């Protein structure tokens, strides 16, 4: 929608207040679209308003799931293909919020689900999942598992300085 697009422009112009207002209006105008909620979640996350971020990102995930189910039903396909069509960025950002809310185990569950059920390329796995899993595993003291994830990151992105440092 125009309002959602204008909100995205507001985000890029570092105008979070006007961006939030545009995203709120966009979600009122079409409350079944996940993207205004998702974008609001990103603004709230950037502003460290974690409870609000969690609420709207959860709504975005639920709306995305419903939209995909509806689309698959229109095509005569079952929900077994649901995971292939969900947007991984919603789950990953939800995991980031959970981690910031000191819920690392919940965050790891979200990342594990994203890695196992969503159809992601190796690049997406590296960027969205492995890096965050490695950091969360390290934070929760699961060093062996963390090391394995950092190795996956380095194998795909040898230039990643954080992963290199973690493995040193």
């Amino acid at each position: 929608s125009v309002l959602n697009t204008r909100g995205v422009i507001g985000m890029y112009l570092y105008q979070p207040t006007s961006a939030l207002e545009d995203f709120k209006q966009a979600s009122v105008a079409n409350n079944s679209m996940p993207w205004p909620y998702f974008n609001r979640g990103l603004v709230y996350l950037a502003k460290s308003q974690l409870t609000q971020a969690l609420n709207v990102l959860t709504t975005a995930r639920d709306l995305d799931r419903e939209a995909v189910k509806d689309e698959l039903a229109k095509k005569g396909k079952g929900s077994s293909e649901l995971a292939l069509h969900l947007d991984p960025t919603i789950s990953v950002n939800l995991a980031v919020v959970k981690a910031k809310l000191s819920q690392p185990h919940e965050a790891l569950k979200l990342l594990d689900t994203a890695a196992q059920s969503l159809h992601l390329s190796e690049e997406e796995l590296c960027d969205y999942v492995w890096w965050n899993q490695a950091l969360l595993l390290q934070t929760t003291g699961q060093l062996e598992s963390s090391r394995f994830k950092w190795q996956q990151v380095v194998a795909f992105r040898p230039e990643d300085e954080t992963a290199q440092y973690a493995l040193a």
Side-chain angles (χ1 to χ4, degrees):
S1 78
V2 172
L3 289 166
N4 189 58
T5 302
R6 191 169 73 183
V8 170
I9 293 168
M11 282 175 43
Y12 285 113
L13 295 175
Y14 302 102
Q15 298 172 350
T17 304
S18 64
L20 276 174
E21 189 55 40
D22 287 335
F23 294 141
K24 285 178 188 175
Q25 288 180 22
S27 25
V28 168
N30 187 349
N31 65 358
S32 65
M33 290 297 298
W35 303 116
Y37 294 95
F38 173 74
N39 290 326
R40 278 171 55 196
L42 295 181
V43 174
Y44 287 135
L45 180 57
K47 294 175 72 170
S48 294
Q49 295 176 332
L50 302 178
T51 303
Q52 293 95 323
L54 179 64
N55 291 337
V56 293
L57 286 170
T58 300
T59 300
R61 181 196 58 198
D62 295 345
L63 290 172
D64 186 43
R65 187 174 302 274
E66 288 306 310
V68 169
K69 280 183 186 176
D70 290 347
E71 193 61 33
L72 289 174
K74 287 178 190 173
K75 294 178 180 178
K77 297 182 179 182
S79 60
S80 62
E81 292 189 28
L82 178 66
L84 298 176
H85 301 278
L86 294 174
D87 192 292
T89 58
I90 298 172
S91 294
V92 172
N93 280 284
L94 264 172
V96 170
V97 171
K98 292 278 189 177
K100 286 181 169 263
L101 287 169
S102 299
Q103 299 173 7
H105 298 292
E106 300 256 344
L108 282 168
K109 284 181 195 174
L110 283 164
L111 291 171
D112 286 342
T113 300
Q116 293 171 11
S117 63
L118 300 176
H119 182 68
L120 300 174
S121 68
E122 276 196 329
E123 184 176 355
E124 290 170 321
L125 278 169
C126 182
D127 294 343
Y128 296 140
V129 179
W130 299 337
W131 201 96
N132 288 305
Q133 284 175 321
L135 190 60
L136 283 167
L137 289 164
Q138 185 175 332
T139 302
T140 58
Q142 299 174 59
L143 301 181
E144 218 171 286
S145 296
S146 173
R147 185 168 183 73
F148 175 74
K149 290 296 177 184
W150 285 126
Q151 288 170 340
Q152 285 182 296
V153 170
V154 167
F156 196 76
R157 297 233 189 270
E159 73 282 358
D160 190 297
E161 292 178 8
T162 303
Q164 289 173 357
Y165 180 77
L167 290 170

